[in-house]
Amino acid sequence: GAGVSQTPSNKVTEKGKYVELRCDPISGHTALYWYRQSLGQGPEFLIYFQGTGAADDSGLPNDRFFAVRPEGSVSTLKIQRTERGDSAVYLCASSLTSGGRDTQYFGPGTRLTVL
Amino acid sequence: AQKVTQAQTEISVVEKEDVTLDCVYETRDTTYYLFWYKQPPSGELVFLIRRNSFDEQNEISGRYSWNFQKSTSSFNFTITASQVVDSAVYFCALSENTNAGKSTFGDGTTLTVKP
């Protein structure tokens, strides 16, 4: 079956601009996660959804970051007033449920570059 | 707080050598889950294995084996008879039962297998 997909694969923007990153999870997976990966580091948790609601958003770095999942499937990560420090690969993952036991399957990521 | 440490930043071996990647974790939960992921140069994280805290049986899958020891809070990964295609960054991750959905990753070990 189809895996997690993310669009765009690459996004270049200028400092101060607004960007949206999209994630389409594996069909039937109720939990969806966003991570950020900087060069030479492991993925860093941002937020996760169980269904339509954000169950844990403790990893969002500040209020410029926001994510939605209005119908419990596709999710959009939104970044306002982008800064150069936001440059990273943004990874999306999904799992059958949100229990810690469930394996998270990752998408290919969106590489965001803020000039 | 949960933490994962992969002390080996980079490892280089010659093809057919055995190699062990170390992972040490910290958690206050009695129920937790450990994972290994592979990130090849293409960038997508590939799930390799999941282990529950209450199951200390070691596991072997082809050339891969995992040694889970609760007494030392370690979950090490061994590749036997390494191949050039094993070259990748390998990440160890931890999910706590009480913090469902929030996986913590180590910073990864870059494995280079030379022909």
Side-chain angles (χ1 to χ4, degrees), chain B:
Chain B
Q2 54 193 54
K3 183 179 179 182
V4 175
T5 301
Q6 295 180 255
Q8 304 151 308
T9 306
E10 295 182 13
I11 298 177
S12 181
V13 299
V14 177
E15 208 170 18
K16 296 185 184 176
E17 285 185 16
D18 298 348
V19 58
T20 296
L21 310 181
D22 297 334
C23 173
V24 174
Y25 61 91
E26 293 177 29
T27 177
R28 293 178 182 172
D29 269 25
T30 54
T31 302
Y32 51 90
Y33 307 89
L34 296 162
F35 304 82
W36 275 94
Y37 288 86
K38 175 182 180 179
Q39 189 171 44
S42 60
E44 192 158 342
L45 277 162
V46 176
F47 165 73
L48 296 177
I49 190 172
R50 179 184 73 220
R51 174 62 69 205
N52 307 324
S53 57
F54 43 86
D55 180 4
E56 285 192 75
Q57 266 193 328
N58 292 329
E59 183 157 338
I60 298 174
S61 176
R63 295 185 297 109
Y64 295 169
S65 63
W66 290 269
N67 182 6
F68 175 34
Q69 292 195 335
K70 287 179 76 170
S71 60
T72 55
S73 297
S74 65
F75 185 42
N76 296 337
F77 173 31
T78 297
I79 302 174
T80 303
S82 59
Q83 301 175 1
V84 172
V85 294
D86 295 328
S87 297
V89 183
Y90 290 86
F91 291 97
C92 180
L94 165 70
S95 290
E96 294 175 333
N97 198 46
T98 55
N99 217 357
K102 188 173 181 176
S103 287
T104 297
F105 284 75
D107 281 338
T109 296
T110 300
L111 174 65
T112 302
V113 181
K114 299 178 181 177

Side-chain angles (χ1 to χ4, degrees), chain A residues 36-95:
Chain A
R36 179 168 70 175
Q37 186 175 21
S38 300
L39 195 63
Q41 296 182 5
E44 176 190 10
F45 171 81
L46 296 177
I47 184 172
Y48 93 90
F49 291 85
Q50 177 56 48
T52 60
D56 184 345
D57 64 358
S58 61
L60 294 177
N62 51 58
D63 61 6
R64 295 186 297 105
F65 288 74
F66 188 71
V68 295
R69 195 186 185 199
E71 297 178 357
S73 179
V74 170
S75 175
T76 304
L77 178 65
K78 308 180 181 193
I79 310 174
Q80 299 177 320
R81 305 183 304 280
T82 51
E83 299 177 356
R84 292 197 178 89
D86 299 334
S87 296
V89 176
Y90 289 81
L91 298 169
C92 177
S94 70
S95 66

